[in-house]
Amino acid sequence: MSSFDTQLLLIALASVLVLVALIVSRIRLHPLLALLVVSIGVGFATGMAPGEIVKNLTNGAGKTLGAVGVVIALGAMLGKILADSGTTERLASAILQRTSERMIPWAMTLVAFVIGIPMFFEVGLVVMLPLIFSVARKLESNERFKGSAYVYVGVPVIAALAAMHGMVPPHPGPLTAIATLHTTVGPTMLYGFLAVIPAMVLGGPLYGAFITPRMSTRPDAALLEQFTSGKKEGGQGSAPSIGMGVLCALLPALLMLVHALAEVLLPKDSGLLHAAAFLGNPLVAMLLGVVFASITLGYLRGADAEKLRDALGQSLKPIAGIMLIIAGGGAFQQILTSAKVGDAIVHMTQQFALPPLVLGWMIAMLLSVSTGSATVGIVGAAGLLAPLAASDPSLNVPLLALAIGCGSLFFNYANHAGFWMVKESFGMSMGEATKTITVVQSIVSFVGLLMVLLFNLLPKLG
C-alpha cells in the first residue's frame, strides 16, 4: 500500500465529512449544491484535470438519471394514478383491517419481499411508496401511536428490498459475482433466500419497532398528498375492483419476475429470453405499468384525458428535487470511482490475512462505502478473489458470491443514490436518514455475513 493510496483514502473520508458539514451546519447548503461542490473539490485534490472533472460530473449524473431518474418519474406517475383512482387507499384499508397495529411491519415486510424478488431497490421503493404513505397516514391518525408512522411502516420495506437486492439473484449484484467467480445460480439463490429471512426481520420489523418512538419523520406535504389523496382528478367514475388495482400496482414487478425466471430457465440465445429481457427492463416495465394503469384505471372508467394528463404532469413536481439530488449523488460516486479510491481499498485489503468469505465481505464493503457503488464493491471483490475461488476446491464459491453481495450493502451513506432517495422521499434530516437506511442496510449486511459463516459449517449445496 503506497503513500498515494493512503492519501486517496484520507481524501475520500474528508470529502464525506465536508459534505455532511455543508448540509447540516449553519451553512445549510442544498444537498445538490453540496454534492457538486465536494465532487469538484475531490477532483482537484486527487489531481484531476478540470476537463476530466466536468466529464466525470456529467457522466455520473447522467448515468444515474438514466438508470434511476426516469424510473422514479414513471413510478411517481403510477403512484398518482393508483392514488387518484382510490386503489392505494383501498389497499391500505385492507391491510389495516386485516392486520393488528403490531403486525403491520411484518405484513409490509412480506409485501416488500415479494416485490423485491425481481425489482431493484430504488424501483421497488418507488412502487411501494404510495402504499407506505397510505398505511402510515392512516396509522398516524391513531392518537395512541407514538413516534413516526412512516418510519414504522417504511423501515421493514427498506430492509426487505435491500436484502433481496444484495443477496438474491437475479439482481445484478449477485449475478455479477456469480459470473465472475464462475459458480452457479441455483445454490447461490437458495443460500440467498435463507439468509434474507433473518436479515430482513432484524433490520426491518425489529429494528423499526426500536427506532420508531425516537423519530418524528414525516414526508413533504405535497408528496404525501400526491400518493394518498384519493381525489379523482382524472374524472374517474366508480372505484375499480381491488383485483384490477393490485394488478396495475404489480404489473412492473410481474414483468421483471418473468425476465428473472427466463434468465434461469431459458438458453442465452433464446428469442423468448430477449423478449423477456426487453419487457422486464425496469424502464420498459414501469412504462408499460403506467400505460396499463392509465387505460384500465383511467380511460376505460371515463376519465377526462386532459385532466389525467395534467394529473400525471403534477405528479412530477414533488419528485423533481429528489431526482436532481440523486443525480448529484451519482456525480460524487463517479468522481470517487475515477479517482481510483477503489484501487486504494484493494491494496489495503491485500495486507489482511482473513478467511476468504470474510475477506470477500470486507473488500466489497470497503469498496462500496468508499466509492458509493455496490456494483464497484462486487466487481472489485469478485475479481480479486476469482483466482482463489478457481484454485481452492474446498471453498464454497456460492457462499463467497453471497458474502460479497452482503458486503456491498453495508453502510449506505451520502455517496449512494439510494441514501438520498430515502432521505428526500421521507423528508428526513441527514441524521434521520443515517438512523434508517444506513443502519438498516448495515444490519442486513452483517446478519447476511453471519448466515454465510453459519452455512459454511454445513455440507455444500449442489
Side-chain angles (χ1 to χ4, degrees):
M1 184 175 176
S2 66
S3 58
F4 182 66
D5 290 333
T6 303
Q7 181 182 341
L8 283 178
L9 295 177
L10 291 175
I11 290 172
L13 176 62
S15 68
V16 174
L17 295 177
V18 171
L19 175 64
V20 174
L22 289 174
I23 295 172
V24 305
S25 67
R26 288 187 177 182
I27 299 175
R28 298 289 178 184
L29 201 61
H30 188 278
L32 174 61
L33 297 178
L35 285 162
L36 294 178
V37 168
V38 170
S39 298
I40 292 173
V42 170
F44 281 119
T46 55
M48 289 185 191
E52 187 180 0
I53 293 174
V54 173
K55 182 180 178 181
N56 281 314
L57 290 177
T58 53
N59 286 349
K63 284 194 299 184
T64 303
L65 277 181
V68 179
V70 178
V71 173
I72 292 175
L74 292 171
M77 289 183 173
L78 180 58
K80 181 67 172 173
I81 295 171
L82 294 172
D84 285 354
S85 66
T87 298
T88 308
E89 188 79 6
R90 295 182 68 189
L91 287 173
S93 297
I95 290 176
L96 291 172
Q97 288 170 5
R98 292 170 173 78
T99 310
S100 67
E101 182 178 301
R102 182 173 295 180
M103 293 302 295
I104 285 174
W106 299 90
M108 296 300 293
T109 300
L110 180 60
V111 174
F113 172 82
V114 174
I115 291 288
I117 291 174
M119 284 195 168
F120 299 171
F121 175 82
E122 291 86 356
V123 181
L125 186 60
V126 168
V127 170
M128 289 291 294
L129 277 179
L131 186 59
I132 293 171
F133 287 177
S134 295
V135 172
R137 193 169 195 177
K138 286 179 173 293
L139 193 59
E140 73 175 347
S141 63
N142 184 349
E143 296 180 356
R144 296 175 298 171
F145 189 84
K146 304 297 182 184
S148 170
Y150 301 91
V151 171
Y152 188 66
V153 178
V155 160
V157 172
I158 293 170
L161 292 176
M164 296 298 292
H165 184 83
M167 298 187 198
V168 181
H171 290 284
L175 282 181
T176 300
I178 289 167
T180 305
L181 297 172
H182 301 290
T183 186
T184 52
V185 173
T188 310
M189 181 177 286
L190 182 55
Y191 281 132
F193 273 119
L194 293 174
V196 154
I197 295 171
M200 68 182 185
V201 166
L202 289 171
L206 296 184
Y207 177 71
F210 167 77
I211 196 66
T212 292
R214 298 163 174 81
M215 303 278 282
S216 58
T217 298
R218 198 170 194 272
D220 177 76
L223 190 62
L224 187 59
E225 185 68 19
Q226 170 176 309
F227 283 151
T228 63
S229 64
K231 296 175 182 177
K232 298 178 176 56
E233 294 179 29
Q236 296 96 324
S238 59
S241 68
I242 193 72
M244 180 57 70
V246 170
L247 177 60
C248 291
L250 293 183
L251 181 61
L254 293 174
L255 291 173
M256 292 183 204
L257 181 58
V258 169
H259 175 209
L261 294 174
E263 283 191 318
V264 175
L265 301 175
L266 298 177
K268 291 185 178 181
D269 57 351
S270 168
L272 289 176
L273 176 58
H274 294 309
F278 173 74
L279 296 175
N281 178 278
L283 191 152
V284 175
M286 289 299 296
L287 175 61
L288 292 175
V290 173
V291 172
F292 182 75
S294 298
I295 294 172
T296 56
L297 302 183
Y299 299 126
L300 293 183
R301 294 174 51 237
D304 183 284
E306 186 171 349
K307 288 184 178 179
L308 180 57
R309 183 189 65 184
D310 291 344
L312 294 180
Q314 291 168 9
S315 72
L316 300 177
K317 295 178 182 178
I319 55 99
I322 297 175
M323 291 168 58
L324 290 174
I325 291 171
I326 291 173
F332 186 32
Q333 174 194 115
Q334 184 64 48
I335 286 284
L336 290 172
T337 302
S338 297
K340 305 298 183 183
V341 173
D343 290 350
I345 291 289
V346 170
H347 296 158
M348 181 180 71
T349 55
Q350 287 174 339
Q351 303 177 59
F352 300 152
L354 295 171
L357 298 179
V358 177
L359 186 61
W361 182 90
M362 180 171 287
I363 294 173
M365 178 269 290
L366 292 172
L367 287 172
S368 177
V369 170
S370 61
T371 64
S373 171
T375 302
V376 170
I378 290 171
V379 171
L384 188 65
L385 296 178
L388 176 62
S391 62
D392 185 357
S394 65
L395 180 60
N396 191 324
V397 183
L399 281 183
L400 179 59
L402 178 58
I404 289 171
C406 292
S408 71
L409 295 173
F410 192 83
F411 205 76
N412 184 307
Y413 199 53
N415 53 347
H416 286 73
F419 176 89
W420 294 104
M421 184 172 177
V422 171
K423 177 186 178 299
E424 297 301 318
S425 296
F426 285 85
M428 295 176 173
S429 66
M430 290 291 289
E432 289 172 333
T434 303
K435 293 175 184 176
T436 49
I437 182 171
T438 304
V439 174
V440 166
Q441 290 207 191
S442 297
I443 292 172
V444 168
S445 174
F446 188 68
V447 172
L449 173 62
L450 293 180
M451 294 302 295
V452 165
L453 298 178
L454 176 62
F455 294 151
N456 196 45
L457 300 176
L458 306 175
K460 291 184 181 179
L461 294 176

